[in-house]
């Protein structure tokens, strides 16, 4: 056999000697020693974490004669005050769990007593807490908490119990919020004493002063103005005398042609006499004013009006609706859907709510081109309440099939109507259609805006936002919008004539109230200082 060349042969295996083995054993021993040292250190660290830190580790006993500032101490997670507060929170949760078991009533009492002691220590210490007392309290509480764990009140049970309590507290919170909403609503509906006083005094004047009993709409000249379509016609439906007076006064005072302004007012039977008296004894820059009573409209009956029957039979307990504003159930509110029938001779009219203030001439509204639409209104896309979904029930297939939930709504309160187009399109029948479909209140609950959104859908011409500024009765509004707005709307519960009205906007309304008027002095003045309307 041929032998490989010398350079291709495998190197000869060396035999191990004793010195190399010894070196290997020494290295291995050092490695094991280091490993054991690391394990011991790790176990010591873990055991120190598992056991609650002693008070001596956290606090310097040399300072027991000194105090600790609670304000700064509570910010530190390892401080005496912070530990006591955390222990109290945990102990309170344990007390709830332990108290449910009759066999551990004694332990629950001990735990409650220790909670009271710790709370008393924190309260009595005020700004200074003695460390020695703190150590004792923490140690005693720690022993009781440890005992609670020995009774198998584990974290899972504690969490379940606390979750149940949170749910219970959440239900209580919702109930209290509902009560608060109801009380706020009652306060908003309560007639201010000044307005009540005014109504009573005006009623007395109406029935005792024969000079006031002249017909505001009497005489050929006035009757012709009520039907003259070359004039500027406004309608207001309300039972609030002073609020209507502000609407009329602010409109006429800011009008370039007050003698061409015609106001059509409709109120109820209770307020008809005082409303007539007020507008008989006051002259609003020569404007023509008509006052009517809704009860005189004999055609507004159950057989013709679907909503009339609903208003009579509405059951709050079935619907669960908490927004029980009587105005929303009043025919004065729903009369806006019958304007062409209330004023059959008119072709164009501007509707104003009773909670608005007019800041500039509105005659331009009557020359705005509505482009074949029935109504001109300011959309509410910029507002927090803009979408159709805020007012309509989109779980109902009829709503879901016909209306986009994200469609922009618009505001009632300042709306110009083309009554000829209204009649041609028979819009009132559209309103009846939707009211009949909502007989069981499944499409919407209450109010006039939801049926208005459905009735005038596709028939609204958007107006410039400055024509109608919303929100003065419930939120802060951009000052530039308030300054430039033609009509300011106090929509919301905080009306300017109420005690809870928003103070920053009350002055804009009160500037159109003449408190020097004898009637208002009697009801709103005490001495020489002006009294608020409440």
């Amino acid at each position: 056999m041929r032998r490989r060349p010398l350079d291709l042969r495998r190197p000869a295996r060396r035999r191990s000697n004793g010195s190399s083995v010894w070196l290997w054993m020494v290295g291995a021993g050092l490695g094991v020693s280091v490993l054991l040292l690391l394990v011991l250190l790790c176990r010591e660290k873990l055991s120190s974490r598992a056991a609650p830190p002693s008070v001596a580790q956290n606090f310097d006993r040399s300072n027991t004669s000194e105090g600790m500032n609670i304000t700064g101490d509570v910010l530190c997670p390892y401080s005496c005050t912070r530990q006591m507060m955390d222990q109290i929170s945990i102990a309170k949760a344990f007390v709830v769990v332990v108290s449910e078991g009759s066999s551990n009533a004694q332990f629950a009492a001990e735990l409650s007593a220790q909670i009271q002691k710790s709370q008393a220590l924190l309260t009595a210490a005020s700004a200074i807490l003695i460390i020695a007392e703190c150590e004792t309290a923490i140690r005693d509480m720690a022993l009781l908490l440890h005992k609670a764990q020995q009774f198998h009140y584990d974290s899972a049970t504690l969490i379940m119990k606390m979750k149940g309590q949170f749910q219970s507290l959440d239900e209580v919170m919702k109930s209290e919020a509902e009560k608060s909403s109801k009380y706020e609503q009652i306060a908003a509906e309560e007639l201010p004493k000044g307005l009540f006083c005014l109504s009573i005094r005006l009623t007395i004047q109406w029935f005792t002063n024969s000079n006031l009993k002249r017909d505001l709409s009497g005489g050929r000249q006035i009757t012709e103005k009520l039907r003259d379509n070359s004039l500027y016609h406004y309608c207001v439906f309300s039972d609030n005398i002073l609020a209507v007076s502000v609407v009329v006064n602010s409109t006429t005072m800011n009008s370039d042609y007050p003698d061409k302004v015609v106001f059509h007012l409709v109120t109820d039977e209770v307020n008809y006499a005082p409303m007539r008296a007020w507008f008989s004894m006051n002259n609003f820059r020569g404007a023509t004013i008509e006052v009517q009573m809704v009860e005189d409209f004999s055609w507004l009956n159950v057989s013709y009006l679907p909503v009339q029957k609903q208003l009579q039979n509405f059951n709050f307990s079935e619907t669960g609706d908490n927004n029980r504003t009587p105005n929303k159930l009043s025919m004065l509110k729903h009369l806006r859907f019958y304007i062409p029938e209330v004023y059959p001779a008119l072709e164009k009219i501007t509707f104003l709510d009773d909670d608005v203030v007019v800041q500039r001439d509105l005659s331009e509204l009557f020359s705005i081109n509505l482009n074949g639409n029935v109504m001109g209104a300011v959309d509410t896309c910029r507002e927090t309440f803009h979408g159709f979904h805020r007012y309509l029930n989109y779980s109902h297939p009829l709503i879901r099939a016909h209306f986009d939930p994200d469609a922009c709504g618009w505001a009632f309160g300042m709306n110009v109507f083309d009554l000829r187009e209204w009649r041609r399109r028979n819009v009132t029948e559209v309103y009846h259609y939707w009211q009949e479909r909502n007989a069981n209140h499944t499409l919407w609950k209450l109010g006039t805006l939801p049926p208005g959104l459905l009735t005038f859908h596709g028939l609204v011409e958007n107006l410039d936002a400055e024509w109608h500024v919303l929100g003065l009765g419930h939120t802060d509004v951009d000052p530039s919008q308030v300054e430039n707005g033609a009509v300011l709307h106090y929509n919301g519960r905080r009306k300017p004539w109420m005690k809870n009205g928003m103070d920053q906007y009350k002055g804009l309304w009160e500037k159109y109230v003449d408190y020097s008027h004898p009637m208002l002095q009697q009801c709103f003045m005490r001495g020489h200082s002006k009294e608020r309307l409440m």
Side-chain angles (χ1 to χ4, degrees):
M1 179 181 292
R2 294 180 59 184
R3 300 187 58 170
R4 294 181 182 179
L6 186 61
D7 57 342
L8 296 178
R9 295 177 188 174
R10 293 180 181 177
R13 182 176 296 176
R14 296 181 179 178
R15 296 181 180 180
S16 352
N17 52 32
S19 60
S20 60
V21 173
W22 182 82
L23 290 174
W24 179 85
M25 292 180 64
V26 171
L30 289 174
V32 171
S33 300
V34 172
L35 181 61
L36 288 174
L37 180 61
L38 291 175
V39 170
L40 290 173
L41 290 174
C42 183
R43 290 185 60 185
E44 183 179 355
K45 188 174 183 180
L46 289 174
S47 62
S48 64
R49 288 184 180 180
S54 63
V55 178
Q57 290 176 325
N58 290 326
F59 306 104
D60 185 0
R61 292 185 179 275
S62 62
N63 294 330
T64 53
S65 60
E66 298 179 1
M68 297 186 66
N69 187 287
I70 293 182
T71 304
D73 192 36
V74 76
L75 300 177
C76 177
Y78 301 106
S79 69
C80 175
T81 307
R82 182 67 174 271
Q83 288 190 49
M84 289 182 66
M85 293 173 65
D86 291 343
Q87 282 185 331
I88 290 172
S89 299
I90 298 173
K92 285 183 177 179
F94 271 122
V95 166
V96 176
V97 179
V98 176
S99 298
E100 295 183 359
S102 57
S103 60
N104 293 321
Q106 179 61 32
F107 175 69
E110 293 178 9
L111 195 56
S112 299
Q114 186 58 43
I115 291 174
Q116 294 177 3
K117 289 180 180 178
S118 297
Q119 289 177 330
L121 181 60
L122 289 175
T123 303
S126 184
I128 300 297
L129 184 63
I130 305 302
I131 297 176
E133 297 178 354
C134 177
E135 291 178 356
T136 303
I138 290 176
R139 183 182 62 252
D140 293 344
M141 181 68 81
L143 291 173
L144 288 175
L145 293 178
H146 179 71
K147 189 175 180 181
Q149 292 175 349
Q150 297 302 313
F151 285 151
H152 302 291
Y153 296 113
D154 56 8
S155 59
T157 304
L158 190 63
I159 290 173
M160 292 300 296
K161 297 294 184 181
M162 293 182 69
K163 183 178 179 181
Q165 283 211 325
F166 288 150
Q167 291 176 346
S168 176
L169 290 173
D170 185 58
E171 292 176 1
V172 172
M173 182 182 68
K174 290 180 179 178
S175 175
E176 294 301 322
E178 182 179 349
K179 290 179 182 179
S180 176
S181 178
K182 291 179 181 178
Y183 294 149
E184 182 181 358
Q185 186 63 47
I186 292 172
E189 294 168 7
E190 183 182 0
L191 184 66
K193 60 183 181 182
L195 298 183
F196 180 77
C197 166
L198 179 63
S199 179
I200 294 297
R201 290 184 178 276
L202 287 172
T203 302
I204 294 173
Q205 283 291 322
W206 178 256
F207 289 107
T208 58
N209 189 346
S210 58
N211 294 328
L212 292 179
K213 292 186 178 181
R214 60 182 179 87
D215 192 352
L216 288 174
S217 59
R220 173 178 288 184
Q221 185 178 5
I222 293 179
T223 303
E224 289 178 353
K225 282 188 172 184
L226 296 176
R227 302 166 57 91
D228 188 351
N229 283 291
S230 66
L231 303 179
Y232 308 124
H233 294 267
Y234 303 88
C235 61
V236 184
F237 310 139
S238 173
D239 57 1
N240 189 322
I241 300 168
L242 195 59
V244 175
S245 177
V246 168
V247 176
V248 174
N249 196 29
S250 62
T251 303
T252 55
M253 286 185 65
N254 291 288
S255 174
D256 295 337
Y257 314 98
D259 57 321
K260 293 185 177 182
V261 170
V262 181
F263 266 98
H264 304 267
L265 312 179
V266 181
T267 189
D268 56 21
E269 185 175 11
V270 174
N271 292 281
Y272 178 69
M275 190 85 75
R276 286 285 303 275
W278 179 257
F279 287 99
S280 294
M281 66 171 57
N282 294 286
N283 184 294
F284 295 87
R285 298 188 66 195
T288 302
I289 300 174
E290 174 192 33
V291 180
Q292 294 178 281
M293 184 167 57
V294 68
E295 285 81 3
D296 286 341
F297 302 146
S298 58
W299 48 271
L300 287 175
N301 51 59
V302 176
S303 61
Y304 178 57
L305 277 67
V307 70
Q308 185 78 350
K309 185 176 182 179
Q310 294 177 27
L311 296 180
Q312 292 177 355
N313 301 327
F314 188 80
N315 190 331
F316 289 106
S317 61
E318 293 179 358
T319 62
D321 196 295
N322 295 320
N323 195 2
R324 309 182 181 190
T325 309
N327 284 337
K328 291 188 175 183
L329 302 176
S330 168
M331 272 310 303
L332 286 177
K333 283 291 182 182
H334 289 268
L335 194 61
R336 66 191 67 189
F337 294 102
Y338 300 95
I339 292 176
E341 295 169 271
V342 179
Y343 310 110
L346 298 182
E347 298 176 352
K348 210 165 192 178
I349 195 169
T350 295
F351 167 80
L352 295 174
D353 252 332
D354 62 358
D355 55 351
V356 305
V357 166
V358 178
Q359 293 194 131
R360 74 171 192 239
D361 179 57
L362 300 182
S363 59
E364 186 183 340
L365 284 172
F366 295 86
S367 60
I368 290 179
N369 185 2
L370 297 181
N371 297 311
N373 288 305
V374 175
M375 176 177 64
V378 172
D379 68 62
T380 54
C381 291
R382 294 165 298 276
E383 308 294 337
T384 57
F385 42 85
H386 66 277
F388 271 40
H389 66 276
R390 296 292 300 271
Y391 305 98
L392 305 174
N393 177 20
Y394 273 86
S395 64
H396 197 288
L398 190 60
I399 296 295
R400 192 167 58 248
H402 290 84
F403 304 98
D404 180 4
D406 295 323
C408 288
W410 42 266
F412 265 137
M414 193 292 297
N415 310 91
V416 55
F417 292 104
D418 185 335
L419 300 183
R420 295 168 299 181
E421 199 66 26
W422 184 319
R423 298 184 185 101
R424 189 181 72 81
R425 293 175 178 264
N426 204 7
V427 175
T428 301
E429 286 305 313
V430 177
Y431 168 70
H432 285 173
Y433 170 85
W434 287 111
Q435 283 290 1
E436 289 168 356
R437 298 301 179 279
N438 194 46
N440 55 359
H441 304 284
T442 56
L443 304 186
W444 70 88
K445 293 294 175 62
L446 292 178
T448 55
L449 183 55
L453 295 175
L454 304 182
T455 300
F456 295 101
H457 182 63
L459 303 176
V460 180
E461 180 71 13
N462 287 335
L463 303 180
D464 188 89
E466 289 187 356
W467 282 112
H468 188 185
V469 177
L470 299 163
L472 279 75
H474 69 90
T475 188
D476 292 326
V477 184
D478 186 343
S480 63
Q481 294 182 11
V482 175
E483 182 180 357
N484 299 322
V487 175
L488 305 180
H489 196 171
Y490 292 81
N491 58 308
R493 294 178 178 176
R494 303 179 66 178
K495 304 299 184 186
W497 56 84
M498 302 298 296
K499 186 176 182 180
N500 68 341
M502 302 188 71
D503 291 334
Q504 64 266 43
Y505 303 128
K506 278 189 176 183
L508 299 171
W509 186 86
E510 290 182 334
K511 67 185 290 187
Y512 296 104
V513 180
D514 182 10
Y515 286 100
S516 65
H517 191 285
M519 279 285 180
L520 298 185
Q521 281 190 333
Q522 294 172 1
C523 293
F524 301 118
M525 304 290 285
R526 294 294 182 269
H528 298 287
S529 60
K530 182 176 71 176
E531 183 189 82
R532 289 292 187 186
L533 300 182
M534 280 295 287

